[in-house]
Amino acid sequence: MSANNQADSSAPKALIVDDSLTQRLLLNHLLDELGYEVTAAKDGQEAIDLFDPEQFDVIFMDIEMPVMDGIEATRIIRKTLADRFIPIIFITGGDSDKYLDECIEVGGSDFIKKPFNANILSAKTRSLLKIRQLYNKQTRQKAEIEAFQEQETQEHEAAAAVYENIVGTGYMQSPNLHSSLSPMSKFNGDLLLCAYTPADKLNVLLGDFTGHGITASLASAPAAEIFYGMTAKGFGIREITTEINFKLHKLLPVNMFLAATLACLDRENHNLSTITCGLPEHLLFCTESGDIKTILSNNLPLGIIDSPDLQLIEHHHHVRSSQQLIMFTDGVIETENDEGQAFDMIGVEDCLRLGRESCFDNILQALDAHRGQQAQQDDITLVRLSCDFSAEKWGLHELNNKPVHIEPSNWKTSSTLDFNTLKRLNPVPALVNSLMEIQGLTPFRESIFLVVTELFVNSLEHGLLNLDSSLKFSADGFAQFFDLKQQRLEELSEGNIKLIFTHAPYNNGGKLTIRVQDTGDGFEPTNISTPLIDNQQYSGRGLELVKTICESLEYTDGGKQATAVFIWQND
Amino acid sequence: MSISSQTTDNKLTISISGRFDFGIHKEFRSAIDAINQQTVHVFVDLRSTEYVDSSALGMLLLLKSKMNNQKESISLINAKPDVKKILEIANFGQLFTLN
């Protein structure tokens, strides 16, 4: 910032440019009387040579002079001043009126007529100096704002990088998930997360925070950490939703919340579970038949009420590979056209029916066309979750075979869960985690998780709860099966499940024996298992998978005890 | 003025016309400042409300916390179908009396 040399304390400085010595002396005298410090030049060229923008507050310029006239000198001085302002007052008299237009054009600020009148001179200079002060103040403020904006941009960029790292950590691409995100700023108020559980289920979270930009995305970080952390440990979407709600309720101000949907795609059961919390309705669309099933929001958005009061409603949909779940945030259906009409659900459904295979692109194109010249008004996120379970799309995830050397040891641990505990929680994630701790079996986590889950779930569903798995085979069966499971679990008044883990060194690694016992009536394991013929199997693949992973699997005691042996090797 | 409010018999009625969004945040806040110990009920009249966005839902939550989170003491009334739909998507029927 250039110094404002007309500081209140020091005398203002004037430059007089005139070829007439008499005029120079006269003006010098008058300005001296007004308290100015005066410097004089006899023509335009000398004025330019003398001129230093830091040194003068006002210039008096004659028009007609030898060597260089006042108009040319003013043009040059204005150029050197750039965005600084120093008033230049033209001295007029005789026939110089004809130059007035030109004087203003090159940057003259005012005129003063010969012979000089002391009062007029005083008034003019005072008013021009006031303008100069205002101008300088404005220039200074502009520079401050620019510096602030620059700093803010840099901070935003740094924060956006941190945000990307947190939300993107562990982000796993899924061939089943396609999305289009158009955030309004560097920070996205919309959030899309996906990850596979150790039991090979695909968890997806689509969320939309109140507002957009930095405030909206601030709370994305804890939500993402919970989602990834709990999915990796094998928790279901109900537990994850409850935990995110708990955290956001603690963190967010009263007027902020997260509208979200959590979905879990279960290949094993060809089931899609959804917990919808305040996003616009989703569409379950069949690319073969063109059928559209609407999935409405039936829970409060997250972060509004405390988790114990949150009675989450979860829906289960039996799905085929030809089905897709189309989800979006309200930016999609609220996109307005030139007439202010919203795109709305009918617009979305039309797109789906028009091009079944490329429905996703159709929606995006239609949205662009609808918006026309209008600017984007909200974050827009569009998500398509394909229920295609074929091997190419899905496939078993590669088991993590990172070479690690583990010293195998002998140990045994067991847990007994009574009926009350079973009503409250799924013990598998915590138990499997403790096995990881004891023996450092993390590289085999997915396999062990799958085995423990299968044996435990069978004991619970078929042993203690006496559920018939043939229910799951029909189209709406899974939802019925689940409802019945919930009902029987709530009614359960006795019984327990015991899980025993025994480990011993074996060859170049170890042998983990997983035994699950229940106090139910027993069941015939072949009734709940069907051979692993292809990937289109509806249900019952679980035990077959366990057999391929384990060395052996055996049901004894009339189905009341399952024993699986898992063998691992050091590389 | 897109918000008007009046108190009769310790019942506060806030009427919102046009767009209920962040733009009227300040007015809404000053309207709910009228809530005091004597306030027994708040009616939010949405008959002239054309549009509701998520920050409006946030403002309603502020109102709710000012009324000590009593569902029975806040009624959202006369909402047009479009506005009602937004309230239903958010399942605000669990937090407010809708009619």
Side-chain angles (χ1 to χ4, degrees):
Chain A
M1 186 60 224
S2 70
N4 176 9
N5 40 40
Q6 200 261 311
D8 292 341
S9 53
S10 67
K13 297 179 183 70
L15 174 65
I16 300 172
V17 191
D18 202 314
D19 55 334
S20 151
L21 178 66
T22 329
Q23 295 294 349
R24 287 206 300 269
L25 289 174
L26 188 61
L27 195 52
N28 194 334
H29 172 71
L30 287 169
L31 288 169
D32 194 45
E33 294 276 287
L34 291 171
Y36 278 82
E37 215 173 89
V38 182
T39 306
K42 64 180 190 302
D43 60 55
Q45 186 58 53
E46 196 180 308
I48 290 165
D49 295 342
L50 267 172
F51 182 71
D52 173 354
E54 308 293 331
Q55 289 300 317
F56 295 102
D57 299 300
V58 60
I59 301 173
F60 292 87
M61 184 76 78
D62 190 18
I63 298 173
E64 291 175 305
M65 290 180 287
V67 189
M68 184 190 286
D69 67 23
I71 289 169
E72 184 57 21
T74 302
R75 202 195 310 273
I76 292 167
I77 287 171
R78 277 279 176 250
K79 218 174 259 175
T80 62
L81 283 175
D83 63 345
R84 278 173 294 191
F85 175 70
I86 291 179
I88 300 178
I89 302 173
F90 278 101
I91 301 164
T92 58
D95 60 351
S96 64
D97 281 4
K98 60 179 183 251
Y99 299 114
L100 294 188
D101 272 354
E102 223 178 325
C103 290
I104 295 295
E105 213 166 280
V106 296
S109 314
D110 205 347
F111 304 94
I112 187 155
K113 240 183 155 70
K114 293 181 281 197
F116 304 119
N117 173 310
N119 289 335
I120 292 176
L121 185 68
S122 165
K124 282 199 174 191
T125 48
R126 271 172 56 194
S127 115
L128 281 169
L129 285 179
K130 205 164 269 172
I131 292 173
R132 171 165 150 75
Q133 273 179 341
L134 280 174
Y135 188 90
N136 283 346
K137 189 173 164 193
Q138 196 207 16
T139 314
R140 201 164 51 238
Q141 284 171 342
K142 186 172 159 237
E144 277 168 12
I145 290 170
E146 277 169 1
F148 175 76
Q149 278 176 338
E150 174 66 17
Q151 191 189 359
E152 201 190 47
T153 306
Q154 282 178 9
E155 281 178 1
H156 260 206
E157 275 166 7
V162 174
Y163 166 73
E164 270 308 309
N165 285 339
I166 298 168
V167 177
T169 298
Y171 181 81
M172 205 185 287
Q173 299 284 342
S174 163
N176 286 66
L177 190 70
H178 298 265
S179 66
S180 153
L181 284 85
S182 323
M184 286 201 48
S185 63
K186 280 197 189 66
F187 291 98
N188 194 348
D190 289 354
L191 185 65
L192 175 65
L193 309 169
C194 85
Y196 290 88
T197 71
D200 208 29
K201 293 177 184 180
L202 176 60
N203 282 354
V204 177
L205 181 154
L206 174 64
D208 177 6
F209 277 100
T210 340
H212 38 249
I214 190 163
T215 358
S217 57
L218 201 58
S220 297
E225 281 194 349
I226 292 168
F227 177 84
Y228 289 131
M230 291 183 73
T231 299
K233 288 187 176 124
F235 285 100
I237 53 173
R238 175 178 288 268
E239 288 111 334
I240 297 174
T241 309
T242 307
E243 189 60 25
I244 291 176
N245 180 69
F246 172 76
K247 188 83 175 185
L248 293 182
H249 181 246
K250 273 206 309 194
L251 286 180
L252 295 180
V254 173
N255 61 339
M256 268 189 74
F257 53 81
L258 175 67
T261 288
L262 278 93
C264 174
L265 194 56
D266 176 3
R267 187 193 192 211
E268 162 76 14
N269 292 304
H270 279 213
N271 179 64
L272 173 71
S273 304
T274 51
I275 300 180
T276 47
C277 312
L279 284 180
E281 58 259 54
H282 304 320
L283 304 173
L284 190 55
F285 171 63
C286 179
T287 52
E288 276 172 9
S289 66
D291 279 351
I292 296 176
K293 186 173 162 187
T294 305
I295 300 174
L296 294 171
S297 153
N298 38 31
N299 295 287
L300 277 173
L302 305 179
I304 296 177
I305 61 172
D306 207 357
S307 283
D309 303 325
L310 193 70
Q311 286 174 354
L312 286 179
I313 298 171
E314 182 175 357
H315 278 295
H316 303 277
H317 318 272
H318 181 81
V319 286
R320 294 180 302 278
S321 284
S322 57
Q323 283 177 299
Q324 305 181 331
L325 179 68
I326 309 288
M327 303 191 279
F328 31 79
T329 56
D330 55 11
V332 172
I333 48 170
E334 284 177 11
T335 291
E336 289 180 357
N337 65 8
D338 294 338
E339 275 95 53
Q341 285 165 327
F343 187 63
D344 76 28
M345 289 307 296
I346 296 160
V348 176
E349 289 186 18
D350 285 349
C351 290
L352 290 180
R353 293 207 173 89
L354 260 173
R356 294 180 183 177
E357 293 307 322
S358 53
C359 59
F360 193 63
D361 300 330
N362 291 343
I363 296 174
L364 290 175
Q365 278 169 17
L367 210 53
D368 268 350
H370 182 82
R371 181 161 60 229
Q373 300 300 310
Q374 297 291 308
Q376 190 178 331
Q377 293 143 335
D378 194 357
D379 298 322
I380 289 176
T381 301
L382 189 58
V383 175
R384 177 170 56 128
L385 176 61
S386 159
C387 303
D388 191 344
F389 295 110
S390 61
E392 309 84 64
K393 271 280 186 194
W394 195 285
L396 269 178
H397 294 286
E398 298 266 318
L399 292 183
N400 192 353
N401 283 324
K402 261 184 276 170
V404 282
H405 192 85
I406 311 159
E407 210 52 62
S409 55
N410 280 296
W411 49 267
K412 182 175 178 174
T413 173
S414 73
S415 298
T416 305
L417 303 142
D418 73 352
F419 65 96
N420 271 324
T421 313
L422 293 169
K423 285 180 192 187
R424 272 193 302 112
L425 62 84
N426 168 12
V428 176
L431 288 176
V432 172
N433 278 341
S434 73
L435 301 185
M436 302 298 111
E437 300 281 322
I438 298 172
Q439 186 63 64
L441 290 172
T442 315
F444 313 101
R445 183 199 182 98
E446 285 192 17
S447 303
I448 295 170
F449 191 94
L450 200 143
V451 175
V452 178
T453 302
E454 275 308 321
L455 299 191
F456 171 77
V457 167
N458 282 330
S459 264
L460 180 66
E461 292 180 350
H462 307 300
L464 282 191
L465 302 179
N466 243 320
L467 291 160
D468 180 0
S469 70
S470 63
L471 249 184
K472 285 198 218 170
F473 290 74
S474 67
D476 294 319
F478 192 85
Q480 280 177 35
F481 183 86
F482 187 87
D483 289 344
L484 199 59
K485 178 179 170 181
Q486 283 299 112
Q487 188 196 326
R488 292 202 182 160
L489 196 55
E490 278 161 29
E491 289 164 4
L492 198 63
S493 60
E494 57 174 3
N496 62 51
I497 294 178
K498 187 172 186 182
L499 297 103
I500 307 151
F501 303 94
T502 318
H503 187 264
Y506 181 80
N507 285 346
N508 182 32
K511 183 199 265 190
L512 177 69
T513 306
I514 302 160
R515 184 164 292 154
V516 181
Q517 300 167 341
D518 67 73
T519 58
D521 298 335
F523 59 92
E524 178 52 53
T526 50
N527 285 349
I528 59 163
S529 175
T530 43
L532 197 63
I533 306 165
D534 60 19
N535 291 305
Q536 298 304 315
Q537 207 69 42
Y538 276 95
S539 183
R541 292 166 69 253
L543 286 182
E544 294 302 317
L545 271 177
V546 171
K547 282 182 193 163
T548 63
I549 292 169
C550 289
E551 196 65 15
S552 66
L553 169 67
E554 199 178 27
Y555 269 90
T556 52
D557 200 8
K560 286 187 244 179
Q561 172 169 285
T563 310
V565 177
F566 177 77
I567 290 181
W568 60 272
Q569 299 289 327
N570 270 317
D571 285 336
Chain B
M1 192 75 171
S2 47
I3 288 194
S4 63
S5 59
Q6 61 169 38
T7 306
T8 329
D9 297 336
N10 293 322
K11 288 174 187 163
L12 172 67
T13 303
I14 300 173
S15 308
I16 296 155
S17 60
R19 292 174 79 89
F20 187 7
D21 59 14
F22 193 76
I24 60 162
H25 180 254
K26 241 177 137 171
E27 292 171 58
F28 188 85
R29 283 218 177 204
S30 61
I32 64 173
D33 273 345
I35 294 170
N36 56 34
Q37 301 254 311
Q38 274 75 50
T39 311
V40 291
H41 201 100
V42 178
F43 295 96
V44 180
D45 192 338
L46 301 167
R47 79 182 67 214
S48 312
T49 309
E50 305 294 341
Y51 169 84
V52 163
D53 75 350
S54 65
S55 55
L57 300 181
M59 288 182 244
L60 291 173
L61 294 172
L62 278 177
L63 163 63
K64 187 173 152 66
S65 96
K66 271 218 130 174
M67 289 298 285
N68 298 318
N69 291 321
Q70 295 300 308
K71 177 188 172 181
E72 303 72 30
S73 20
I74 308 163
S75 307
L76 311 181
I77 57 173
N78 300 323
K80 290 182 181 176
D82 281 358
V83 169
K84 200 163 183 184
K85 194 180 163 197
I86 304 279
L87 297 172
E88 281 167 357
I89 285 175
N91 289 280
F92 265 31
Q94 291 185 32
L95 305 175
F96 301 92
T97 309
L98 303 184
N99 49 27

